[in-house]
Amino acid sequence: QKEVEQDPGPLSVPEGAIVSLNCTYSNSAFQYFMWYRQYSRKGPELLMYTYSSGNKEDGRFTAQVDKSSKYISLFIRDSQPSDSATYLCAMSNYMLLTQGGSEKLVFGKGMKLTVNP
Amino acid sequence: DAGVIQSPRHEVTEMGQEVTLRCKPISGHNSLFWYRQTMMRGLELLIYFNNNVPIDDSGMPEDRFSAKMPNASFSTLKIQPSEPRDSAVYFCASSFYAGGPPDPTDTQYFGPGTRLTVL
């Protein structure tokens, strides 16, 4: 079993729809959870960053973490064509951080989302 | 800041040739990461450096791959000899970590990637 599992999709929705993207993970040591957005032929860029369990909201985006279920989600409300991209979840733990002095991330494979006008 | 700079953006080469990918991290960042992205395997960490020192190269697929960081503003990833299965997009990312619990400002900033095709 891979450390991080993410359905690669693709997912196609109409404009205005609510989108739900999910990842599961197996390593209970993960403490920091991120969502990256990657536009076509670009590098990933950080979209949301959460620590431990709970919700975090930023505009139309909400990130949820359920550590008991080892499950994280990203919700996009009122989706727009400009949200069309690949969304990757990523995780890290503080032990990896302190050992290496850097934030080593483990990524999901990414879910390709298309929002149709 | 110009962000992370990678060159070349595209590389097409023949099997057996040496390939060198280059990266200039964001000024002031103390960590540098090399990733490979394919449809089948997603984004994989190959190696990362902290303060120019290689910390973890466990993701480097085989001895044909090598990476160097001679100074804080430059890194290379070399493949010699290249094989068709090395075809992928290679990303460089950099970050700054000052110690203590991480926060979003420690995030990795990715370059635009080098699309490598080995024929």
Side-chain angles (χ1 to χ4, degrees):
Chain A
Q1 181 187 11
K2 291 197 69 172
E3 274 192 296
V4 179
E5 300 277 3
Q6 182 178 12
D7 182 351
L11 178 63
S12 182
V13 301
E15 183 176 353
I18 296 174
V19 176
S20 173
L21 307 171
N22 311 294
C23 288
T24 59
Y25 62 96
S26 58
N27 187 346
S28 58
F30 287 139
Q31 300 168 300
Y32 301 92
F33 304 91
M34 288 138 274
W35 287 94
Y36 281 76
R37 179 174 59 195
Q38 183 178 18
Y39 290 114
S40 180
R41 299 188 178 270
K42 302 285 187 182
E45 57 179 354
L46 183 67
L47 183 63
M48 298 286 283
Y49 185 109
T50 54
Y51 169 66
S52 197
S53 287
N55 293 0
K56 183 174 182 180
E57 190 172 317
D58 183 1
R60 297 183 294 108
F61 298 88
T62 299
Q64 283 187 353
V65 175
D66 182 347
K67 291 192 72 178
S68 62
S69 301
K70 296 189 181 66
Y71 189 87
I72 70 170
S73 301
L74 177 70
F75 297 96
I76 307 174
R77 292 183 298 281
D78 187 26
S79 56
Q80 302 295 310
S82 58
D83 296 329
S84 298
T86 295
Y87 291 80
L88 302 96
C89 60
M91 311 178 187
S92 71
N93 74 60
Y94 191 40
M95 287 306 298
L96 285 178
L97 184 74
T98 54
Q99 286 168 6
S102 303
E103 191 162 19
K104 180 178 176 179
L105 302 177
V106 180
F107 283 86
K109 289 184 68 174
M111 158 78 87
K112 184 174 182 179
L113 171 67
T114 302
V115 181
N116 301 300
Chain B
D1 198 312
V4 176
I5 298 172
Q6 290 187 248
S7 65
R9 293 293 309 276
H10 302 272
E11 178 81 30
V12 180
T13 190
E14 292 189 347
M15 183 174 63
Q17 297 298 307
E18 177 179 297
V19 175
T20 299
L21 311 182
R22 297 173 177 79
C23 175
K24 177 178 169 54
I26 292 173
S27 177
H29 281 188
N30 58 3
S31 298
L32 183 139
F33 307 78
W34 281 102
Y35 291 89
R36 177 172 67 177
Q37 187 175 42
T38 61
M39 290 288 291
M40 287 295 294
R41 301 174 69 89
L43 194 64
E44 302 174 283
L45 178 65
L46 300 177
I47 184 171
Y48 76 93
F49 297 83
N50 185 248
N51 293 320
N52 311 336
V53 176
I55 300 298
D56 185 348
D57 65 354
S58 60
M60 296 285 261
E62 9 185 319
D63 292 344
R64 297 184 298 106
F65 286 70
S66 62
K68 294 182 180 179
M69 191 164 186
N71 56 62
S73 59
F74 184 67
S75 177
T76 59
L77 177 68
K78 185 177 293 187
I79 308 173
Q80 165 64 20
S82 57
E83 296 182 4
R85 60 193 167 117
D86 301 331
S87 297
V89 181
Y90 290 80
F91 287 103
C92 175
S94 70
S95 68
F96 177 75
Y97 174 61
D103 63 42
T105 61
D106 299 325
T107 188
Q108 295 178 26
Y109 292 84
F110 284 76
T114 294
R115 185 171 295 272
L116 173 65
T117 302
V118 183
L119 303 174

mmCIF file of all heavy atoms in Angstrom, chain A residues 40-87:
data_model
loop_
_atom_site.group_PDB
_atom_site.id
_atom_site.type_symbol
_atom_site.label_atom_id
_atom_site.label_comp_id
_atom_site.label_asym_id
_atom_site.label_seq_id
_atom_site.Cartn_x
_atom_site.Cartn_y
_atom_site.Cartn_z
ATOM 1 N N SER A 40 -1.824 23.117 -16.315
ATOM 2 C CA SER A 40 -1.161 22.370 -17.374
ATOM 3 C C SER A 40 0.184 22.987 -17.734
ATOM 4 O O SER A 40 0.296 24.205 -17.906
ATOM 5 C CB SER A 40 -2.061 22.357 -18.611
ATOM 6 O OG SER A 40 -1.465 21.647 -19.659
ATOM 7 N N ARG A 41 1.207 22.162 -17.767
ATOM 8 C CA ARG A 41 2.573 22.549 -18.141
ATOM 9 C C ARG A 41 3.168 23.580 -17.182
ATOM 10 O O ARG A 41 4.003 24.404 -17.565
ATOM 11 C CB ARG A 41 2.630 23.039 -19.588
ATOM 12 C CG ARG A 41 2.205 21.951 -20.560
ATOM 13 C CD ARG A 41 2.431 22.323 -21.996
ATOM 14 N NE ARG A 41 2.037 21.225 -22.877
ATOM 15 C CZ ARG A 41 2.866 20.266 -23.268
ATOM 16 N NH1 ARG A 41 4.118 20.277 -22.898
ATOM 17 N NH2 ARG A 41 2.439 19.290 -24.061
ATOM 18 N N LYS A 42 2.726 23.544 -15.935
ATOM 19 C CA LYS A 42 3.294 24.393 -14.889
ATOM 20 C C LYS A 42 3.703 23.528 -13.711
ATOM 21 O O LYS A 42 3.336 22.361 -13.623
ATOM 22 C CB LYS A 42 2.266 25.432 -14.415
ATOM 23 C CG LYS A 42 1.720 26.346 -15.499
ATOM 24 C CD LYS A 42 2.728 27.381 -15.898
ATOM 25 C CE LYS A 42 2.107 28.379 -16.850
ATOM 26 N NZ LYS A 42 3.098 29.392 -17.312
ATOM 27 N N GLY A 43 4.460 24.113 -12.783
ATOM 28 C CA GLY A 43 4.790 23.418 -11.557
ATOM 29 C C GLY A 43 3.664 23.536 -10.537
ATOM 30 O O GLY A 43 2.848 24.456 -10.604
ATOM 31 N N PRO A 44 3.589 22.614 -9.587
ATOM 32 C CA PRO A 44 2.566 22.707 -8.536
ATOM 33 C C PRO A 44 2.767 23.956 -7.684
ATOM 34 O O PRO A 44 3.900 24.400 -7.476
ATOM 35 C CB PRO A 44 2.808 21.441 -7.697
ATOM 36 C CG PRO A 44 3.593 20.521 -8.576
ATOM 37 C CD PRO A 44 4.423 21.404 -9.442
ATOM 38 N N GLU A 45 1.670 24.510 -7.180
ATOM 39 C CA GLU A 45 1.729 25.651 -6.281
ATOM 40 C C GLU A 45 0.814 25.383 -5.097
ATOM 41 O O GLU A 45 -0.254 24.779 -5.232
ATOM 42 C CB GLU A 45 1.324 26.943 -6.994
ATOM 43 C CG GLU A 45 -0.054 26.896 -7.616
ATOM 44 C CD GLU A 45 -0.437 28.199 -8.300
ATOM 45 O OE1 GLU A 45 0.323 29.181 -8.196
ATOM 46 O OE2 GLU A 45 -1.496 28.223 -8.945
ATOM 47 N N LEU A 46 1.253 25.838 -3.920
ATOM 48 C CA LEU A 46 0.499 25.578 -2.704
ATOM 49 C C LEU A 46 -0.832 26.290 -2.728
ATOM 50 O O LEU A 46 -0.917 27.485 -2.992
ATOM 51 C CB LEU A 46 1.305 26.027 -1.480
ATOM 52 C CG LEU A 46 0.644 25.747 -0.134
ATOM 53 C CD1 LEU A 46 0.574 24.246 0.117
ATOM 54 C CD2 LEU A 46 1.428 26.436 0.981
ATOM 55 N N LEU A 47 -1.897 25.538 -2.390
ATOM 56 C CA LEU A 47 -3.246 26.092 -2.364
ATOM 57 C C LEU A 47 -3.767 26.190 -0.927
ATOM 58 O O LEU A 47 -4.285 27.216 -0.520
ATOM 59 C CB LEU A 47 -4.178 25.201 -3.198
ATOM 60 C CG LEU A 47 -5.627 25.623 -3.361
ATOM 61 C CD1 LEU A 47 -5.723 26.949 -4.091
ATOM 62 C CD2 LEU A 47 -6.401 24.542 -4.116
ATOM 63 N N MET A 48 -3.631 25.107 -0.168
ATOM 64 C CA MET A 48 -4.135 25.078 1.201
ATOM 65 C C MET A 48 -3.125 24.342 2.089
ATOM 66 O O MET A 48 -2.469 23.396 1.628
ATOM 67 C CB MET A 48 -5.486 24.358 1.298
ATOM 68 C CG MET A 48 -6.612 25.006 0.521
ATOM 69 S SD MET A 48 -7.211 26.507 1.317
ATOM 70 C CE MET A 48 -8.197 25.837 2.650
ATOM 71 N N TYR A 49 -3.062 24.753 3.355
ATOM 72 C CA TYR A 49 -2.096 24.159 4.292
ATOM 73 C C TYR A 49 -2.803 24.008 5.632
ATOM 74 O O TYR A 49 -3.309 24.980 6.176
ATOM 75 C CB TYR A 49 -0.903 25.095 4.417
ATOM 76 C CG TYR A 49 0.259 24.597 5.248
ATOM 77 C CD1 TYR A 49 1.444 24.237 4.625
ATOM 78 C CD2 TYR A 49 0.203 24.542 6.634
ATOM 79 C CE1 TYR A 49 2.544 23.812 5.364
ATOM 80 C CE2 TYR A 49 1.274 24.120 7.373
ATOM 81 C CZ TYR A 49 2.457 23.753 6.748
ATOM 82 O OH TYR A 49 3.535 23.336 7.468
ATOM 83 N N THR A 50 -2.867 22.779 6.163
ATOM 84 C CA THR A 50 -3.524 22.567 7.451
ATOM 85 C C THR A 50 -2.630 21.728 8.350
ATOM 86 O O THR A 50 -1.806 20.939 7.874
ATOM 87 C CB THR A 50 -4.882 21.841 7.281
ATOM 88 O OG1 THR A 50 -4.658 20.634 6.543
ATOM 89 C CG2 THR A 50 -5.874 22.701 6.540
ATOM 90 N N TYR A 51 -2.835 21.919 9.639
ATOM 91 C CA TYR A 51 -2.087 21.162 10.624
ATOM 92 C C TYR A 51 -3.063 20.339 11.446
ATOM 93 O O TYR A 51 -4.049 20.868 11.940
ATOM 94 C CB TYR A 51 -1.287 22.090 11.530
ATOM 95 C CG TYR A 51 -0.700 21.416 12.743
ATOM 96 C CD1 TYR A 51 0.293 20.454 12.593
ATOM 97 C CD2 TYR A 51 -1.151 21.715 14.029
ATOM 98 C CE1 TYR A 51 0.840 19.815 13.695
ATOM 99 C CE2 TYR A 51 -0.615 21.077 15.125
ATOM 100 C CZ TYR A 51 0.389 20.129 14.962
ATOM 101 O OH TYR A 51 0.920 19.498 16.048
ATOM 102 N N SER A 52 -2.794 19.038 11.550
ATOM 103 C CA SER A 52 -3.598 18.116 12.345
ATOM 104 C C SER A 52 -5.038 18.086 11.853
ATOM 105 O O SER A 52 -5.334 18.411 10.714
ATOM 106 C CB SER A 52 -3.506 18.493 13.818
ATOM 107 O OG SER A 52 -3.948 17.412 14.621
ATOM 108 N N SER A 53 -5.969 17.698 12.693
ATOM 109 C CA SER A 53 -7.358 17.532 12.273
ATOM 110 C C SER A 53 -8.109 18.852 12.286
ATOM 111 O O SER A 53 -7.718 19.804 12.949
ATOM 112 C CB SER A 53 -8.072 16.543 13.197
ATOM 113 O OG SER A 53 -7.648 15.229 12.951
ATOM 114 N N GLY A 54 -9.201 18.878 11.520
ATOM 115 C CA GLY A 54 -10.044 20.069 11.510
ATOM 116 C C GLY A 54 -10.262 20.596 10.123
ATOM 117 O O GLY A 54 -9.888 19.980 9.132
ATOM 118 N N ASN A 55 -10.917 21.744 10.081
ATOM 119 C CA ASN A 55 -11.241 22.399 8.814
ATOM 120 C C ASN A 55 -10.488 23.709 8.685
ATOM 121 O O ASN A 55 -10.159 24.354 9.669
ATOM 122 C CB ASN A 55 -12.749 22.710 8.745
ATOM 123 C CG ASN A 55 -13.596 21.467 8.680
ATOM 124 O OD1 ASN A 55 -13.089 20.357 8.692
ATOM 125 N ND2 ASN A 55 -14.889 21.677 8.611
ATOM 126 N N LYS A 56 -10.250 24.074 7.421
ATOM 127 C CA LYS A 56 -9.682 25.390 7.137
ATOM 128 C C LYS A 56 -10.349 25.918 5.878
ATOM 129 O O LYS A 56 -10.445 25.192 4.881
ATOM 130 C CB LYS A 56 -8.167 25.309 6.947
ATOM 131 C CG LYS A 56 -7.510 26.674 6.724
ATOM 132 C CD LYS A 56 -6.019 26.538 6.698
ATOM 133 C CE LYS A 56 -5.342 27.887 6.530
ATOM 134 N NZ LYS A 56 -3.868 27.751 6.514
ATOM 135 N N GLU A 57 -10.784 27.154 5.939
ATOM 136 C CA GLU A 57 -11.501 27.737 4.809
ATOM 137 C C GLU A 57 -10.723 28.925 4.263
ATOM 138 O O GLU A 57 -10.163 29.726 5.017
ATOM 139 C CB GLU A 57 -12.891 28.187 5.265
ATOM 140 C CG GLU A 57 -13.823 28.591 4.140
ATOM 141 C CD GLU A 57 -15.238 28.842 4.636
ATOM 142 O OE1 GLU A 57 -15.737 28.054 5.452
ATOM 143 O OE2 GLU A 57 -15.837 29.843 4.203
ATOM 144 N N ASP A 58 -10.714 29.027 2.927
ATOM 145 C CA ASP A 58 -10.072 30.165 2.278
ATOM 146 C C ASP A 58 -10.876 30.472 1.019
ATOM 147 O O ASP A 58 -10.704 29.805 -0.002
ATOM 148 C CB ASP A 58 -8.616 29.835 1.933
ATOM 149 C CG ASP A 58 -7.881 31.022 1.328
ATOM 150 O OD1 ASP A 58 -8.487 32.106 1.182
ATOM 151 O OD2 ASP A 58 -6.691 30.866 0.978
ATOM 152 N N GLY A 59 -11.760 31.444 1.140
ATOM 153 C CA GLY A 59 -12.597 31.789 0.003
ATOM 154 C C GLY A 59 -13.512 30.631 -0.381
ATOM 155 O O GLY A 59 -14.244 30.108 0.444
ATOM 156 N N ARG A 60 -13.416 30.203 -1.617
ATOM 157 C CA ARG A 60 -14.267 29.109 -2.092
ATOM 158 C C ARG A 60 -13.702 27.731 -1.743
ATOM 159 O O ARG A 60 -14.321 26.712 -2.048
ATOM 160 C CB ARG A 60 -14.442 29.225 -3.614
ATOM 161 C CG ARG A 60 -15.153 30.490 -4.072
ATOM 162 C CD ARG A 60 -15.351 30.510 -5.596
ATOM 163 N NE ARG A 60 -14.106 30.581 -6.329
ATOM 164 C CZ ARG A 60 -13.584 29.571 -7.033
ATOM 165 N NH1 ARG A 60 -14.202 28.396 -7.084
ATOM 166 N NH2 ARG A 60 -12.451 29.729 -7.690
ATOM 167 N N PHE A 61 -12.548 27.692 -1.132
ATOM 168 C CA PHE A 61 -11.862 26.433 -0.840
ATOM 169 C C PHE A 61 -11.941 26.098 0.651
ATOM 170 O O PHE A 61 -11.737 26.958 1.495
ATOM 171 C CB PHE A 61 -10.389 26.512 -1.267
ATOM 172 C CG PHE A 61 -10.202 26.741 -2.740
ATOM 173 C CD1 PHE A 61 -10.157 28.028 -3.261
ATOM 174 C CD2 PHE A 61 -10.076 25.672 -3.615
ATOM 175 C CE1 PHE A 61 -9.986 28.244 -4.621
ATOM 176 C CE2 PHE A 61 -9.903 25.878 -4.971
ATOM 177 C CZ PHE A 61 -9.860 27.163 -5.476
ATOM 178 N N THR A 62 -12.225 24.816 0.942
ATOM 179 C CA THR A 62 -12.228 24.319 2.309
ATOM 180 C C THR A 62 -11.431 23.020 2.345
ATOM 181 O O THR A 62 -11.686 22.114 1.551
ATOM 182 C CB THR A 62 -13.651 24.047 2.818
ATOM 183 O OG1 THR A 62 -14.393 25.269 2.804
ATOM 184 C CG2 THR A 62 -13.617 23.508 4.245
ATOM 185 N N ALA A 63 -10.476 22.966 3.264
ATOM 186 C CA ALA A 63 -9.699 21.749 3.460
ATOM 187 C C ALA A 63 -10.127 21.106 4.765
ATOM 188 O O ALA A 63 -10.302 21.781 5.778
ATOM 189 C CB ALA A 63 -8.206 22.064 3.488
ATOM 190 N N GLN A 64 -10.320 19.801 4.732
ATOM 191 C CA GLN A 64 -10.707 19.047 5.922
ATOM 192 C C GLN A 64 -9.703 17.938 6.169
ATOM 193 O O GLN A 64 -9.232 17.302 5.224
ATOM 194 C CB GLN A 64 -12.094 18.408 5.733
ATOM 195 C CG GLN A 64 -13.256 19.346 5.874
ATOM 196 C CD GLN A 64 -14.590 18.612 5.840
ATOM 197 O OE1 GLN A 64 -14.643 17.410 5.590
ATOM 198 N NE2 GLN A 64 -15.668 19.350 6.071
ATOM 199 N N VAL A 65 -9.394 17.708 7.430
ATOM 200 C CA VAL A 65 -8.506 16.615 7.809
ATOM 201 C C VAL A 65 -9.183 15.795 8.891
ATOM 202 O O VAL A 65 -9.640 16.344 9.902
ATOM 203 C CB VAL A 65 -7.159 17.150 8.342
ATOM 204 C CG1 VAL A 65 -6.291 15.996 8.850
ATOM 205 C CG2 VAL A 65 -6.423 17.930 7.254
ATOM 206 N N ASP A 66 -9.244 14.495 8.687
ATOM 207 C CA ASP A 66 -9.766 13.574 9.686
ATOM 208 C C ASP A 66 -8.659 12.563 9.979
ATOM 209 O O ASP A 66 -8.509 11.566 9.266
ATOM 210 C CB ASP A 66 -11.024 12.875 9.169
ATOM 211 C CG ASP A 66 -11.641 11.936 10.202
ATOM 212 O OD1 ASP A 66 -10.971 11.640 11.211
ATOM 213 O OD2 ASP A 66 -12.781 11.507 10.002
ATOM 214 N N LYS A 67 -7.880 12.836 11.008
ATOM 215 C CA LYS A 67 -6.735 11.981 11.304
ATOM 216 C C LYS A 67 -7.176 10.604 11.794
ATOM 217 O O LYS A 67 -6.471 9.619 11.604
ATOM 218 C CB LYS A 67 -5.810 12.640 12.319
ATOM 219 C CG LYS A 67 -5.075 13.850 11.778
ATOM 220 C CD LYS A 67 -3.966 14.286 12.721
ATOM 221 C CE LYS A 67 -2.809 13.325 12.698
ATOM 222 N NZ LYS A 67 -1.706 13.748 13.580
ATOM 223 N N SER A 68 -8.337 10.523 12.434
ATOM 224 C CA SER A 68 -8.783 9.228 12.940
ATOM 225 C C SER A 68 -9.074 8.271 11.789
ATOM 226 O O SER A 68 -8.877 7.062 11.906
ATOM 227 C CB SER A 68 -10.025 9.396 13.817
ATOM 228 O OG SER A 68 -11.103 9.936 13.072
ATOM 229 N N SER A 69 -9.523 8.821 10.667
ATOM 230 C CA SER A 69 -9.817 8.011 9.489
ATOM 231 C C SER A 69 -8.686 8.043 8.474
ATOM 232 O O SER A 69 -8.769 7.363 7.445
ATOM 233 C CB SER A 69 -11.105 8.497 8.820
ATOM 234 O OG SER A 69 -12.192 8.430 9.712
ATOM 235 N N LYS A 70 -7.670 8.860 8.733
ATOM 236 C CA LYS A 70 -6.549 9.049 7.802
ATOM 237 C C LYS A 70 -7.099 9.455 6.429
ATOM 238 O O LYS A 70 -6.816 8.811 5.391
ATOM 239 C CB LYS A 70 -5.699 7.777 7.696
ATOM 240 C CG LYS A 70 -5.015 7.385 9.009
ATOM 241 C CD LYS A 70 -4.021 6.262 8.769
ATOM 242 C CE LYS A 70 -3.333 5.816 10.030
ATOM 243 N NZ LYS A 70 -4.247 5.179 10.991
ATOM 244 N N TYR A 71 -7.840 10.551 6.451
ATOM 245 C CA TYR A 71 -8.595 10.964 5.269
ATOM 246 C C TYR A 71 -8.588 12.475 5.218
ATOM 247 O O TYR A 71 -8.871 13.135 6.209
ATOM 248 C CB TYR A 71 -10.032 10.446 5.440
ATOM 249 C CG TYR A 71 -10.935 10.576 4.247
ATOM 250 C CD1 TYR A 71 -10.979 9.594 3.267
ATOM 251 C CD2 TYR A 71 -11.787 11.670 4.116
ATOM 252 C CE1 TYR A 71 -11.841 9.692 2.194
ATOM 253 C CE2 TYR A 71 -12.647 11.782 3.044
ATOM 254 C CZ TYR A 71 -12.676 10.783 2.093
ATOM 255 O OH TYR A 71 -13.524 10.881 1.024
ATOM 256 N N ILE A 72 -8.230 13.026 4.041
ATOM 257 C CA ILE A 72 -8.286 14.473 3.884
ATOM 258 C C ILE A 72 -9.095 14.815 2.647
ATOM 259 O O ILE A 72 -9.168 14.012 1.700
ATOM 260 C CB ILE A 72 -6.891 15.126 3.813
ATOM 261 C CG1 ILE A 72 -6.168 14.783 2.500
ATOM 262 C CG2 ILE A 72 -6.043 14.690 5.004
ATOM 263 C CD1 ILE A 72 -4.902 15.609 2.303
ATOM 264 N N SER A 73 -9.706 15.994 2.685
ATOM 265 C CA SER A 73 -10.570 16.418 1.586
ATOM 266 C C SER A 73 -10.320 17.872 1.252
ATOM 267 O O SER A 73 -9.919 18.664 2.101
ATOM 268 C CB SER A 73 -12.045 16.252 1.972
ATOM 269 O OG SER A 73 -12.353 14.933 2.303
ATOM 270 N N LEU A 74 -10.591 18.195 0.002
ATOM 271 C CA LEU A 74 -10.604 19.580 -0.462
ATOM 272 C C LEU A 74 -11.946 19.799 -1.155
ATOM 273 O O LEU A 74 -12.310 19.049 -2.059
ATOM 274 C CB LEU A 74 -9.464 19.855 -1.440
ATOM 275 C CG LEU A 74 -9.439 21.265 -2.039
ATOM 276 C CD1 LEU A 74 -9.059 22.290 -0.964
ATOM 277 C CD2 LEU A 74 -8.470 21.356 -3.214
ATOM 278 N N PHE A 75 -12.667 20.831 -0.687
ATOM 279 C CA PHE A 75 -13.943 21.176 -1.304
ATOM 280 C C PHE A 75 -13.787 22.512 -2.031
ATOM 281 O O PHE A 75 -13.184 23.449 -1.508
ATOM 282 C CB PHE A 75 -15.049 21.302 -0.248
ATOM 283 C CG PHE A 75 -15.325 20.010 0.471
ATOM 284 C CD1 PHE A 75 -14.727 19.754 1.696
ATOM 285 C CD2 PHE A 75 -16.169 19.058 -0.077
ATOM 286 C CE1 PHE A 75 -14.959 18.561 2.359
ATOM 287 C CE2 PHE A 75 -16.408 17.864 0.581
ATOM 288 C CZ PHE A 75 -15.803 17.614 1.802
ATOM 289 N N ILE A 76 -14.348 22.556 -3.213
ATOM 290 C CA ILE A 76 -14.364 23.793 -3.993
ATOM 291 C C ILE A 76 -15.823 24.153 -4.235
ATOM 292 O O ILE A 76 -16.576 23.376 -4.856
ATOM 293 C CB ILE A 76 -13.640 23.630 -5.354
ATOM 294 C CG1 ILE A 76 -12.231 23.069 -5.153
ATOM 295 C CG2 ILE A 76 -13.576 24.984 -6.070
ATOM 296 C CD1 ILE A 76 -11.510 22.754 -6.467
ATOM 297 N N ARG A 77 -16.233 25.314 -3.712
ATOM 298 C CA ARG A 77 -17.612 25.775 -3.923
ATOM 299 C C ARG A 77 -17.663 26.672 -5.149
ATOM 300 O O ARG A 77 -16.677 27.326 -5.495
ATOM 301 C CB ARG A 77 -18.089 26.565 -2.697
ATOM 302 C CG ARG A 77 -18.273 25.749 -1.442
ATOM 303 C CD ARG A 77 -18.818 26.622 -0.323
ATOM 304 N NE ARG A 77 -17.907 27.704 0.016
ATOM 305 C CZ ARG A 77 -16.833 27.555 0.777
ATOM 306 N NH1 ARG A 77 -16.536 26.370 1.275
ATOM 307 N NH2 ARG A 77 -16.050 28.584 1.040
ATOM 308 N N ASP A 78 -18.840 26.687 -5.774
ATOM 309 C CA ASP A 78 -19.041 27.555 -6.931
ATOM 310 C C ASP A 78 -17.853 27.450 -7.888
ATOM 311 O O ASP A 78 -17.181 28.441 -8.205
ATOM 312 C CB ASP A 78 -19.237 29.007 -6.475
ATOM 313 C CG ASP A 78 -19.627 29.934 -7.609
ATOM 314 O OD1 ASP A 78 -20.211 29.457 -8.607
ATOM 315 O OD2 ASP A 78 -19.311 31.144 -7.518
ATOM 316 N N SER A 79 -17.581 26.250 -8.335
ATOM 317 C CA SER A 79 -16.397 26.009 -9.162
ATOM 318 C C SER A 79 -16.442 26.830 -10.450
ATOM 319 O O SER A 79 -17.521 27.073 -11.021
ATOM 320 C CB SER A 79 -16.263 24.518 -9.480
ATOM 321 O OG SER A 79 -17.436 24.036 -10.104
ATOM 322 N N GLN A 80 -15.265 27.257 -10.873
ATOM 323 C CA GLN A 80 -15.106 28.112 -12.041
ATOM 324 C C GLN A 80 -14.207 27.419 -13.083
ATOM 325 O O GLN A 80 -13.359 26.606 -12.713
ATOM 326 C CB GLN A 80 -14.464 29.436 -11.636
ATOM 327 C CG GLN A 80 -15.239 30.205 -10.589
ATOM 328 C CD GLN A 80 -16.589 30.665 -11.112
ATOM 329 O OE1 GLN A 80 -16.669 31.267 -12.190
ATOM 330 N NE2 GLN A 80 -17.649 30.371 -10.368
ATOM 331 N N PRO A 81 -14.357 27.753 -14.344
ATOM 332 C CA PRO A 81 -13.455 27.181 -15.351
ATOM 333 C C PRO A 81 -11.981 27.401 -15.014
ATOM 334 O O PRO A 81 -11.145 26.553 -15.336
ATOM 335 C CB PRO A 81 -13.858 27.915 -16.636
ATOM 336 C CG PRO A 81 -15.304 28.228 -16.438
ATOM 337 C CD PRO A 81 -15.442 28.543 -14.965
ATOM 338 N N SER A 82 -11.671 28.492 -14.322
ATOM 339 C CA SER A 82 -10.278 28.764 -13.943
ATOM 340 C C SER A 82 -9.768 27.794 -12.880
ATOM 341 O O SER A 82 -8.559 27.763 -12.603
ATOM 342 C CB SER A 82 -10.141 30.196 -13.431
ATOM 343 O OG SER A 82 -10.995 30.412 -12.321
ATOM 344 N N ASP A 83 -10.672 27.024 -12.284
ATOM 345 C CA ASP A 83 -10.241 26.000 -11.314
ATOM 346 C C ASP A 83 -9.776 24.722 -12.016
ATOM 347 O O ASP A 83 -9.282 23.799 -11.358
ATOM 348 C CB ASP A 83 -11.404 25.643 -10.370
ATOM 349 C CG ASP A 83 -11.849 26.803 -9.497
ATOM 350 O OD1 ASP A 83 -10.990 27.650 -9.150
ATOM 351 O OD2 ASP A 83 -13.052 26.868 -9.166
ATOM 352 N N SER A 84 -9.937 24.654 -13.315
ATOM 353 C CA SER A 84 -9.510 23.464 -14.065
ATOM 354 C C SER A 84 -7.998 23.305 -13.931
ATOM 355 O O SER A 84 -7.221 24.174 -14.340
ATOM 356 C CB SER A 84 -9.902 23.598 -15.540
ATOM 357 O OG SER A 84 -11.303 23.676 -15.676
ATOM 358 N N ALA A 85 -7.598 22.199 -13.344
ATOM 359 C CA ALA A 85 -6.182 21.951 -13.036
ATOM 360 C C ALA A 85 -6.084 20.553 -12.435
ATOM 361 O O ALA A 85 -7.090 19.874 -12.230
ATOM 362 C CB ALA A 85 -5.651 22.986 -12.050
ATOM 363 N N THR A 86 -4.871 20.152 -12.144
ATOM 364 C CA THR A 86 -4.642 18.919 -11.383
ATOM 365 C C THR A 86 -4.395 19.299 -9.933
ATOM 366 O O THR A 86 -3.605 20.207 -9.655
ATOM 367 C CB THR A 86 -3.449 18.137 -11.955
ATOM 368 O OG1 THR A 86 -3.765 17.706 -13.288
ATOM 369 C CG2 THR A 86 -3.158 16.907 -11.094
ATOM 370 N N TYR A 87 -5.072 18.612 -9.026
ATOM 371 C CA TYR A 87 -4.952 18.900 -7.596
ATOM 372 C C TYR A 87 -4.227 17.732 -6.921
ATOM 373 O O TYR A 87 -4.639 16.582 -7.033
ATOM 374 C CB TYR A 87 -6.339 19.116 -6.976
ATOM 375 C CG TYR A 87 -6.969 20.398 -7.458
ATOM 376 C CD1 TYR A 87 -7.595 20.459 -8.701
ATOM 377 C CD2 TYR A 87 -6.896 21.569 -6.695
ATOM 378 C CE1 TYR A 87 -8.150 21.641 -9.176
ATOM 379 C CE2 TYR A 87 -7.438 22.754 -7.166
ATOM 380 C CZ TYR A 87 -8.061 22.785 -8.400
ATOM 381 O OH TYR A 87 -8.594 23.967 -8.870
#
